[in-house]
Amino acid sequence: MLGHGLPLTGRQGRQCAKCGSCTAVCPVYRVTGRESLTARGRLHLLGTELAARPSAAYEDLFAQCLLCGACENVCPRQLPIRRLTVEARSRFSFLYGRHPLRRSLVRSVLARPVLLERLVKTGLALERLVLIPRDSGLRLKLALLDGEPATGAAAQQETAIGPDPAAAGVQYFVGCLARYLQPSIADATRRLVRRFSGGSTVEPRRQGCCGLAAWSAGDREEAVRLAKQNIEAFAASTGPVLTSCVSCFAHLKQYAELFADDPEWREEAERFSRRVREFSAFMVELDPAPLFRSPGRERILYHEPCHLRFSGENREAPRALLRRVEGAVIVEPEEGPHCCGQGGLFYLGYPEMGDRIFSRACEAALKTGATVVVTGCSGCLLQWRSGLGVRHAPVRVLHPALFLADCLDIDS
Ligand code: SF4
Ligand code: SF4
């Protein structure tokens, strides 16, 4: 669990047994070999005098963490490593780490839907400029967009963000990627929900960014503001709250801990967190009949997002769902799941390191002969699409909802 709530101190950092279990599994250590970039290295620093007056170099060490959770998963002392890292970041200067303005801009935009819509429109206009080289990472990232998003009333219709949050149906937290950048994911989710639950989705208008980006950057105030907005958006309804993004899922589940010290919001936050369901687990609960048939002999590599892999919840649901697709096989990398190196804002600050981490995952994936990579996390989707695009690899990258919608009733 991420552990979002209580303030921590260097004392907890000093509980580290220095066993090194976390070092062996850390994706950053694997590509850099630098002890100072591991959980053990940072926990040591937290207990030194340097923590009282963090220098730019000190802050940079704490910025170079994906918050993937691999270290916490093996730590014999069960230390809340991600929470300690985020708490350290909350005391840093506004412009800590590499490319701080870039990271700060993305956080601001994610927190303000109107800004995000405008940026998407600008991006689409830019994409049409032939001056952007064909293999530019920017072009590849912009090519992820499905089409020009509508604004105002039209946007509400297109994204089905409904005016009546208490209406009957499956409550749906859409998330920024599916709402603004790749509405086809939301459309496929709606279609599958309609098909297997018999009802439609209800998407309260006031919902916004889950707040994970703000929390990861140590901006607790903004994370709390966004969490309150989402809790209120779904307060008029009961029943499960479905989300199609694994990272949003992991963060929404943690709202209870975010408000652990707040008597006014704690119960409401706990109630909300209990309602949250990840797409694959929700679909498995609906128990869809075997109606999925792969259009070709697909070899599916399911990329397991760290936010699900180390959350301890429903880790097997995506594979269980994909196994229901007739005519497709699931392939696994030889050494098991890899981190893709995206890590949200981490990639914006340290793209070269993110690429080196991705290269390992990519090499392992290509060895399996996969024809499609399926993953349910917004960040992982972006990383795989741009990474495979740059390498001109003939492998599609899809959200599970899009893959399953493609496989639905293929014969009819
Ligand atoms: S959270 Fe991930 S990247 Fe950060 S120290 Fe732990 S294993 Fe390394
Ligand atoms: S696994 Fe835990 S106890 Fe061991 S070195 Fe890492 S942080 Fe310290």
Side-chain angles (χ1 to χ4, degrees):
M1 290 293 173
L2 290 180
H4 291 49
L6 298 170
L8 298 162
T9 64
R11 185 178 54 78
Q12 273 160 297
R14 284 195 285 274
Q15 288 172 5
C16 169
K18 307 221 175 342
C19 66
S21 305
C22 54
T23 303
V25 296
C26 175
V28 172
Y29 180 77
R30 283 180 172 176
V31 298
T32 63
R34 287 178 60 190
E35 169 72 21
S36 56
L37 297 181
T38 65
R40 179 167 65 177
R42 287 193 197 93
L43 294 185
H44 169 73
L45 287 172
L46 277 180
T48 67
E49 286 176 6
L50 295 171
R53 283 203 194 150
S55 64
Y58 181 97
E59 292 178 352
D60 191 48
L61 293 176
F62 278 80
Q64 295 180 64
C65 170
L66 292 144
L67 299 176
C68 67
C71 49
E72 267 179 40
N73 192 47
V74 297
C75 177
R77 295 262 165 109
Q78 298 184 319
L79 294 174
I81 296 162
R82 285 174 287 184
R83 188 167 149 202
L84 287 161
T85 306
V86 166
E87 171 141 319
R89 289 177 181 175
S90 73
R91 294 193 297 269
F92 291 170
S93 57
F94 178 65
L95 299 177
Y96 74 87
R98 288 235 330 258
H99 302 304
L101 290 175
R102 195 190 288 180
R103 287 185 284 121
S104 166
L105 175 71
V106 170
R107 275 205 299 119
S108 304
V109 166
L110 285 175
R112 290 163 190 81
V114 176
L115 262 179
L116 182 53
E117 272 180 26
R118 286 193 188 142
L119 191 78
V120 168
K121 280 177 81 72
T122 309
L124 283 160
L126 275 174
E127 190 198 13
R128 292 181 189 117
L129 293 177
V130 288
L131 293 175
I132 301 177
R134 293 217 72 76
D135 58 353
S136 143
L138 175 62
R139 179 181 281 276
L140 287 162
K141 286 225 156 92
L142 292 172
L144 303 171
L145 308 178
D146 286 328
E148 187 156 352
T151 54
Q156 280 156 22
Q157 198 177 11
E158 181 176 316
T159 59
I161 298 292
D164 181 6
V170 175
Q171 300 288 317
Y172 180 24
F173 179 88
V174 185
C176 297
L177 184 81
R179 186 170 175 185
Y180 298 108
L181 302 181
Q182 250 203 304
S184 61
I185 294 175
D187 286 343
T189 302
R190 291 180 194 117
R191 192 176 156 214
L192 292 164
V193 166
R194 221 174 15 250
R195 181 65 177 265
F196 295 109
S197 78
S200 44
T201 56
V202 179
E203 301 162 30
R205 189 178 295 172
R206 281 205 66 211
Q207 63 177 291
C209 169
C210 67
L212 176 60
W215 180 81
S216 302
D219 188 348
R220 183 181 159 80
E221 202 177 308
E222 184 71 338
V224 164
R225 182 186 74 78
L226 291 166
K228 284 182 178 173
Q229 183 182 323
N230 289 324
I231 291 169
E232 282 177 340
F234 288 89
S237 61
T238 55
V241 174
L242 165 70
T243 179
S244 45
C245 173
V246 162
S247 289
C248 295
F249 164 75
H251 192 67
L252 296 173
K253 288 296 277 181
Q254 299 298 327
Y255 279 6
E257 288 184 46
L258 192 60
F259 292 100
D261 268 356
D262 184 335
E264 197 188 329
W265 281 84
R266 188 174 52 226
E267 274 185 33
E268 199 63 41
E270 283 171 359
R271 210 174 2 256
F272 176 81
S273 289
R274 276 197 301 273
R275 294 173 63 193
V276 178
R277 300 282 189 284
E278 185 272 326
F279 168 80
S280 297
F282 183 81
M283 287 297 295
V284 169
E285 273 178 39
L286 289 179
D287 195 19
L291 292 169
F292 303 113
R293 190 188 298 271
S294 167
R297 290 289 306 168
E298 295 280 18
R299 291 174 67 80
I300 309 168
L301 183 123
Y302 168 63
H303 170 72
E304 190 170 34
C306 295
H307 276 132
L308 196 59
R309 188 174 163 201
F310 302 118
S311 76
E313 282 204 48
N314 297 316
R315 189 180 161 188
E316 284 308 312
R319 288 187 184 83
L321 190 58
L322 291 170
R323 275 197 288 272
R324 295 178 181 225
V325 179
E326 284 178 22
V329 287
I330 301 179
V331 293
E332 300 279 352
E334 220 167 72
E335 293 171 23
H338 287 254
C339 171
C340 71
Q342 214 274 344
L345 301 179
F346 171 88
Y347 190 81
L348 294 174
Y350 304 91
E352 305 83 11
M353 201 190 296
D355 283 337
R356 284 162 68 195
I357 296 170
F358 177 77
S359 289
R360 292 169 61 96
C362 183
E363 207 176 295
L366 294 179
K367 272 190 199 157
T368 65
T371 56
V372 57
V373 172
V374 174
T375 187
C377 164
S378 304
C380 301
L381 274 168
L382 297 176
Q383 184 79 334
W384 277 97
R385 288 214 179 146
S386 63
L388 288 172
V390 164
R391 289 164 178 79
H392 305 291
V395 180
R396 294 187 301 150
V397 182
L398 293 173
H399 185 279
L402 279 171
F403 181 74
L404 291 175
D406 268 1
C407 298
L408 198 57
D409 285 349
I410 197 97
D411 298 331
S412 60

